[in-house]
Amino acid sequence: MAITAALVKELRERTSAGMMDCKKALTECDGDMEKAITWLREKGIAKAAKKAGRIAAEGLTRVVAEGNRACLIEVNSETDFVAKNEQFLDLINTTAEMILKAAPKTLEEALALDVKGATLESKFIDATATIGEKITLRRFEIMEKTDNDIFGTYMHMGGKISACVVLKNSDDAAVAKDMAMQVASMSPSYVSRNHMPAEVVEKERVVQMEIMKNDESLANKPEKVLQGIVEGRLSKSLQEMCLVDQPFFKDPNQKVSQVLKAANTEVESFIRYAVGEGLEKREENFAEEVAKQIGK
């Protein structure tokens, strides 16, 4: 039986095994999907298959920088306990170092990286099988800078949040770190209004207009006054999204823009990762979690 790409893809999705392992299993089993799954399990390759449907929304992020390149990664697990596991910590550190060095373009390229004769993907499969939880590389991003710029990096709570900024034409490591801490703590969406897409501004304007329509105290206000109120509310809302307009976390009486001006620099770009953002999380109580960990 011909082993098609679709068959390999389906087996990979059902077992979380690597593509080459899936192709070999299907070849050995003459294309029989169920036999291929059994073959992978027997070989220990699909030991993690039954965990593939679980929600992995815990874990850690990492930010590393060297020379003119930096990268942020997020590695997920099912429970917060795993973030303290030595194998998990080794895996996330190795992954960050490999991605920083190789600068892959996609998750597929990252997982195919060679780690001492094995793929990075196989390391994740091994970790899932050994630790007993679904372990996944969720995402990564590469940042670049020029020789005249400087990176600022910060990890909060051991990597629950990681941030990296690029300061233009600066070598001020203290300000760079402050900006990374600002991004981590205040979670801006954009550097400034100049970096904000027009559709984001228009969407927020519509939101503020709807809020105003539901405010009975404004019912009898002239149209010109209402327009002014909308624009005022819009400006305030957009400022909260912009790094340079936020109060500086060390001194709320200053704006970030003032701190940057005093240091004669600007933020070129930033990235912020928080573990599990955008993922559905399981709701389990602590006692149930502990019982699962000890096998009760």
Side-chain angles (χ1 to χ4, degrees):
M1 178 180 178
I3 308 303
T4 65
L7 274 175
V8 174
K9 181 174 182 291
E10 181 182 350
L11 182 57
R12 187 183 184 197
E13 289 174 348
R14 292 183 62 179
T15 64
S16 297
M19 286 192 293
M20 295 307 296
D21 288 325
C22 289
K23 184 176 180 180
K24 184 175 181 180
L26 287 164
T27 301
E28 292 288 331
C29 300
D30 197 29
D32 188 303
M33 183 65 63
E34 298 305 320
K35 287 183 180 179
I37 292 172
T38 301
W39 188 91
L40 287 168
R41 293 188 63 194
E42 288 174 350
K43 300 295 182 183
I45 298 171
K47 201 171 180 182
K50 61 184 179 181
K51 303 176 181 67
R54 295 184 186 173
I55 297 171
E58 299 295 341
L60 291 173
T61 65
R62 277 288 182 272
V63 55
V64 289
E66 184 176 339
N68 285 342
R69 180 182 294 162
C71 84
L72 289 89
I73 69 168
E74 179 182 353
V75 175
N76 293 138
S77 60
E78 293 179 59
T79 68
D80 193 39
F81 288 103
V82 170
K84 303 175 181 67
N85 180 284
E86 186 174 339
Q87 183 181 1
F88 181 85
L89 292 172
D90 286 344
L91 178 62
I92 192 170
N93 290 332
T94 296
T95 300
E97 291 167 5
M98 294 293 298
I99 290 177
L100 178 67
K101 181 179 179 181
K105 303 295 184 184
T106 65
L107 275 174
E108 288 75 16
E109 288 183 14
L111 291 170
L113 292 174
D114 181 82
V115 186
K116 297 180 180 179
T119 64
L120 185 58
E121 182 177 36
S122 71
K123 297 297 183 184
F124 276 85
I125 292 172
D126 289 345
T128 298
T130 304
I131 295 172
E133 288 192 12
K134 183 180 179 182
I135 310 295
T136 58
L137 173 60
R138 181 190 178 195
R139 54 180 174 162
F140 71 89
E141 198 155 348
I142 305 290
M143 297 184 76
E144 304 277 355
K145 71 174 186 66
T146 69
D147 290 337
N148 296 325
D149 303 334
I150 187 172
F151 286 123
T153 63
Y154 175 69
M155 291 194 301
H156 183 63
M157 294 179 63
K160 288 297 181 184
I161 299 172
S162 289
C164 184
V165 304
V166 177
L167 285 193
K168 293 176 63 176
N169 300 317
S170 175
D171 60 0
D172 195 327
V175 173
K177 184 173 182 180
D178 280 348
M179 291 302 108
M181 293 177 74
Q182 177 80 25
V183 168
S185 62
M186 302 300 286
S187 189
S189 300
Y190 306 95
V191 173
S192 70
R193 283 283 295 268
N194 293 333
H195 293 75
M196 190 177 291
E199 57 266 27
V200 172
V201 178
E202 189 54 37
K203 181 180 179 181
E204 187 60 26
R205 180 177 281 108
V206 171
V207 169
Q208 294 303 326
M209 288 178 66
E210 289 301 315
I211 292 173
M212 187 189 66
K213 287 178 182 178
N214 294 320
D215 188 340
E216 295 181 359
S217 67
L218 301 176
N220 298 318
K221 297 284 185 180
E223 183 65 27
K224 188 174 182 179
V225 172
L226 293 175
Q227 289 178 358
I229 292 173
V230 167
E231 291 305 312
R233 289 181 174 181
L234 174 65
S235 179
K236 183 179 179 181
S237 178
L238 296 181
Q239 283 179 1
E240 293 173 358
M241 301 181 192
C242 296
L243 172 64
V244 297
D245 293 324
Q246 291 180 339
F248 182 42
F249 77 102
K250 284 186 173 180
D251 179 8
N253 292 320
Q254 288 192 86
K255 285 190 175 183
V256 169
S257 58
Q258 293 173 293
V259 176
L260 292 169
K261 185 176 180 179
N264 195 31
T265 186
E266 299 175 25
V267 172
E268 172 74 19
S269 60
F270 69 80
I271 299 174
R272 179 186 187 273
Y273 275 6
V275 170
E277 57 190 349
L279 293 176
E280 177 187 358
K281 295 193 178 186
R282 297 177 304 175
E283 293 186 3
E284 296 180 304
N285 64 41
F286 183 74
E288 289 174 344
E289 197 65 69
V290 171
K292 286 189 177 183
Q293 290 295 314
I294 62 177
K296 290 185 177 181

